[in-house]
Amino acid sequence: PERFDILCGRDKTSLNHIGNRRFRAIIEMNREKYQTALVRDEKTRITSEIVAMIQSCRPGGRFLRLNTETNQFYDISDDYA
């Protein structure tokens, strides 16, 4: 994983990864705007903007999950992200 990648999971590696720490900061910056949005479409737009912001980062910007059988990370779909 690169420094801007988001590692999906609840383990210590995911929690401490620099990309995940950055992701939590971005979420926090948008929390009030999301919570005060009046319609679902507005909330969807906010989350889509956050995902697009992450995906535009280089190197990385991917949402990854660990395949425990191969011990390799794979890119998850945009719908799941």
Side-chain angles (χ1 to χ4, degrees):
E2 300 289 343
R3 62 188 176 124
F4 291 118
D5 288 334
I6 309 302
L7 306 182
C8 298
R10 297 178 184 262
D11 59 356
K12 190 174 182 177
T13 301
S14 299
L15 180 68
N16 293 324
H17 183 66
I18 190 167
N20 289 54
R21 292 194 314 253
R22 183 174 176 271
F23 183 57
R24 287 193 300 274
I26 292 169
I27 296 298
E28 188 58 38
M29 290 185 320
N30 288 278
R31 180 185 305 270
E32 184 177 344
K33 182 170 50 169
Y34 182 87
Q35 289 177 335
T36 59
L38 299 177
V39 293
R40 184 181 179 115
D41 287 347
E42 181 66 12
K43 290 183 177 202
T44 301
R45 185 188 62 74
I46 294 166
T47 55
S48 295
E49 287 175 0
I50 292 170
V51 169
M53 184 185 314
I54 295 297
Q55 291 176 332
S56 71
C57 295
R58 297 291 179 256
R62 302 167 294 174
F63 288 82
L64 304 176
R65 173 167 287 150
L66 181 64
N67 179 328
T68 55
E69 292 180 12
T70 64
N71 209 31
Q72 298 287 319
F73 284 95
Y74 64 95
D75 200 342
I76 63 172
S77 71
D78 286 350
D79 290 337
Y80 188 79

